[in-house]
Amino acid sequence: FKFVEDHLAALADLGPEPLGEEFTEDWLIGALKDRRRILKPLLLDQTFLAGLGNIYVDESLFQAGLHPQRSAHLVPEDRACALHRAIQETLRQAIEREGSSFDAFYRTPEGQPGSYQHLFRVYGREGKPCLECERPIKRLVVAQRGTHICTRCQPAPRAAARRG
């Protein structure tokens, strides 16, 4: 371990915390419009938004009805607002259920498993029916990360929109 003397300096490059005061709908609308990156890797980028991991990005994008390969600058304002709500709701539910546990490594400090994995709508559900429309959940690889989507609830961006 490397000892960090100035912990604030170590955190200076992180983006806003999704449950903090800086993370507002207006901030997200503007931040998405300013970036010509694909949504999934942008949301995983800790310098953009701190604290989101693969599971919570997949679940939030599903809840907001956004495809992970959509260009951030092409997200309409109403969808950006839906994404803001989805991120906060997903994180609050995960915290309330003490996270997601897949094996003995992912445990609470008391050694208990979290239970958020029982609420997954898309993550890890490849081939199972979407809980909204019953279309099978599909697994893609986006930015070298396993990604789970419903192709009906999260329509792919049109080719013209991607070129935009």
Side-chain angles (χ1 to χ4, degrees), residues 54-115:
N54 199 43
I55 291 170
Y56 303 123
V57 168
D58 281 4
E59 293 295 315
S60 297
L61 288 171
F62 172 77
Q63 190 173 330
L66 288 166
H67 194 281
Q69 292 176 312
R70 177 182 284 274
S71 292
H73 73 285
L74 298 176
V75 174
E77 284 190 18
D78 65 327
R79 294 289 89 209
C81 292
L83 180 59
H84 179 270
R85 287 188 302 275
I87 289 168
Q88 290 192 325
E89 184 176 314
T90 297
L91 290 177
R92 284 188 180 110
Q93 287 180 356
I95 290 166
E96 182 179 306
R97 288 165 181 78
E98 298 184 302
S100 307
S101 295
F102 298 100
D103 57 33
F105 182 74
Y106 296 99
R107 301 290 176 168
T108 69
E110 296 80 25
Q112 299 302 310
S115 63

Side-chain angles (χ1 to χ4, degrees), residues 92-145:
R92 284 188 180 110
Q93 287 180 356
I95 290 166
E96 182 179 306
R97 288 165 181 78
E98 298 184 302
S100 307
S101 295
F102 298 100
D103 57 33
F105 182 74
Y106 296 99
R107 301 290 176 168
T108 69
E110 296 80 25
Q112 299 302 310
S115 63
Y116 185 69
Q117 69 275 9
H118 302 299
L119 298 182
F120 289 169
R121 317 261 321 185
V122 290
Y123 186 83
R125 298 190 67 244
E126 180 182 9
K128 295 181 180 172
C130 173
L131 299 173
E132 296 294 322
C133 74
E134 298 187 2
R135 183 174 282 189
I137 299 299
K138 185 174 179 183
R139 183 181 184 279
L140 321 167
V141 176
V142 178
Q144 301 175 343
R145 299 300 302 265

